[in-house]
Amino acid sequence: MPHTTAFARNQWYVAAYSHEVGRELLGRTILGETLVLYRTEEEGTPVVLHDRCVHRRYPLSEAPTRLDGDRIVCGYHGFTYDTTGACVYVPGQKRVPRTARVASYPVVEQDSLIWVWIGDPALADPQGIPRARHLDSPGWVTVRGMEPIDCDYGLLVDNLLDLSHETYLHGGYIGTPEVAETPITTEVDEGAGIVRVSRHMDDAECPPFYAKSTGIEGRITRWQDIEYHAPCLYLLHSRVAPVGVVPEADGSDPNGFHTEVTYAITPSGDGKVYDFWAVSRDWATDDEEVTEFLRGNNHTVVMQDVTALNLLQKTLGTERHGYQELSINIDTGGLAARRILARLVEEGAKPMEKVQ
């Protein structure tokens, strides 16, 4: 695979978790665009502006830049901007230059995530944002984090859509032999930009991640149903239950354990990606020991991916010209995701071509 995947600009991306954005200025870079995020004083509405003062390009997310009410005061020369990005004050003169404005980006807060639109603002439709309701729904407990990775975001998409690597990279945590040995089924909705990959294991070893958190002893049935909404949101609907447990007729499974694993895959720049990860459960919700176990265990798993993907990015950068990649059955979902991403990139470029 080429080690640089093009960006689909006219799409929604997760810039932060809700809890990260407050009255402290937060800097993030998405698709190479530097952003500053904060909340308004009264309503608490998230604001996203370009993170460079128009005067001398000082980062507006860095001290001593500060908020004065809902306005950002640049810490270098005092240029002041409102929530729309318009400059409302410049030092030493009453006239504000007509070009004194920083870009403002469409932003939506949903399911405890802050979504930002980097492309043409006229095309930003909040209805197009995929849902992850379990992240802030009553009855669910979530542990979460974010790790920046020095790799192309396409490599992270590949990683998450082929879970057979759990057997080898994550052995002793979430990986068992059955994950790699069990065939997958793949469904692709090209129009909606959704890839579904399922792996159902009827008789599998119970990995420590689930054995220690659920108390299950012995072998399990284990279902992994992936739902990838290109380009950013990845959902893994995970079910484990003791072997022989049969779900109720209505589909409920009182003796099973359902876990929702969520990733937001947000390209920061070329060869850099934000890996937002979360594990949600609706069982043992009052057990703080289980919460902390899942937090620490999943962070370890994520860091194993981070290490592997950082290494892979470096390796691909040194490959000889003309190297041919080999793909097999387990790559079906990842290859479908690549096709969809390529289409989104092409579609996003069309309006720009017309303008020129």
Side-chain angles (χ1 to χ4, degrees), residues 275-318:
D275 180 1
F276 293 90
W277 60 269
V279 177
S280 308
R281 73 184 193 279
D282 61 358
W283 44 272
T285 54
D286 294 328
D287 194 326
E288 187 63 26
E289 189 174 336
V290 170
T291 298
E292 290 309 309
F293 173 78
L294 293 181
R295 188 195 316 278
N297 210 266
N298 203 72
H299 179 256
T300 298
V301 168
V302 169
M303 292 309 297
Q304 289 174 332
D305 281 335
V306 170
T307 299
L309 292 173
N310 283 341
L311 176 60
L312 185 55
Q313 180 73 21
K314 291 179 180 178
T315 302
L316 290 174
T318 61

Side-chain angles (χ1 to χ4, degrees), residues 12-330:
W12 290 98
Y13 292 93
V14 172
Y17 290 117
S18 290
H19 74 267
E20 293 184 282
V21 181
R23 295 291 292 168
E24 296 289 328
L25 298 170
L26 174 67
R28 286 278 153 84
T29 301
I30 298 180
L31 311 191
E33 298 285 337
T34 55
L35 311 177
V36 58
L37 297 83
Y38 66 97
R39 291 186 186 274
T40 58
E41 195 167 28
E42 296 297 327
E43 294 83 9
T45 305
V47 176
V48 182
L49 302 177
H50 187 58
D51 188 26
R52 295 291 184 270
C53 179
V54 295
H55 179 230
R56 289 294 181 264
R57 314 306 294 169
Y58 191 82
L60 297 176
S61 61
E62 297 291 340
T65 300
R66 61 182 175 82
L67 287 174
D68 180 8
D70 291 340
R71 297 173 171 179
I72 289 187
V73 181
C74 178
Y76 195 17
H77 292 103
F79 276 62
T80 303
Y81 304 89
D82 65 16
T83 57
T84 71
C87 184
V88 296
Y89 170 80
V90 298
Q93 62 185 61
K94 292 184 178 180
R95 185 184 69 85
V96 176
R98 180 178 55 83
T99 57
R101 166 181 288 276
V102 298
S104 174
Y105 299 86
V107 56
V108 172
E109 184 169 15
Q110 179 177 281
D111 302 328
S112 78
L113 301 172
I114 304 293
W115 292 85
V116 175
W117 181 275
I118 300 297
D120 182 351
L123 301 177
D125 179 9
Q127 296 302 314
I129 300 175
R131 300 304 302 263
R133 292 179 174 87
H134 50 273
L135 290 178
D136 64 356
S137 290
W140 288 85
V141 174
T142 299
V143 295
R144 65 188 80 201
M146 188 277 281
E147 294 296 334
I149 312 178
D150 291 328
C151 83
D152 178 81
Y153 80 98
L155 296 182
L156 181 55
V157 174
D158 276 353
N159 172 278
L160 294 173
L161 281 170
D162 173 19
L163 294 182
S164 67
H165 78 274
E166 289 183 353
T167 299
Y168 306 98
L169 189 61
H170 305 310
Y173 292 90
I174 57 176
T176 65
E178 292 82 10
V179 180
E181 293 168 359
T182 304
I184 60 170
T185 60
T186 305
E187 297 178 12
V188 183
D189 187 333
E190 295 279 355
I194 300 174
V195 180
R196 294 182 173 87
V197 179
S198 294
R199 179 183 273 110
H200 293 175
M201 295 159 271
D202 294 328
D203 185 351
E205 177 185 334
C206 188
F209 183 84
Y210 285 114
K212 293 180 181 178
S213 59
T214 66
I216 292 178
E217 297 180 358
R219 298 182 70 80
I220 59 171
T221 58
R222 183 180 183 185
W223 291 10
Q224 295 176 325
D225 295 302
I226 296 169
E227 191 179 320
Y228 171 58
H229 297 256
C232 188
L233 189 68
Y234 169 101
L235 306 172
L236 169 59
H237 313 297
S238 173
R239 170 199 180 268
V240 298
V243 167
V245 170
V246 179
E248 300 292 336
D250 63 0
S252 65
D253 188 357
N255 296 311
F257 297 84
H258 294 83
T259 305
E260 296 289 339
V261 181
T262 308
Y263 283 87
I265 304 163
T266 301
S268 174
D270 288 336
K272 293 182 180 297
V273 61
Y274 294 124
D275 180 1
F276 293 90
W277 60 269
V279 177
S280 308
R281 73 184 193 279
D282 61 358
W283 44 272
T285 54
D286 294 328
D287 194 326
E288 187 63 26
E289 189 174 336
V290 170
T291 298
E292 290 309 309
F293 173 78
L294 293 181
R295 188 195 316 278
N297 210 266
N298 203 72
H299 179 256
T300 298
V301 168
V302 169
M303 292 309 297
Q304 289 174 332
D305 281 335
V306 170
T307 299
L309 292 173
N310 283 341
L311 176 60
L312 185 55
Q313 180 73 21
K314 291 179 180 178
T315 302
L316 290 174
T318 61
E319 278 297 344
R320 66 184 184 278
H321 181 70
Y323 169 76
Q324 293 297 309
E325 182 182 60
L326 172 67
S327 295
I328 57 176
N329 290 342
I330 58 175

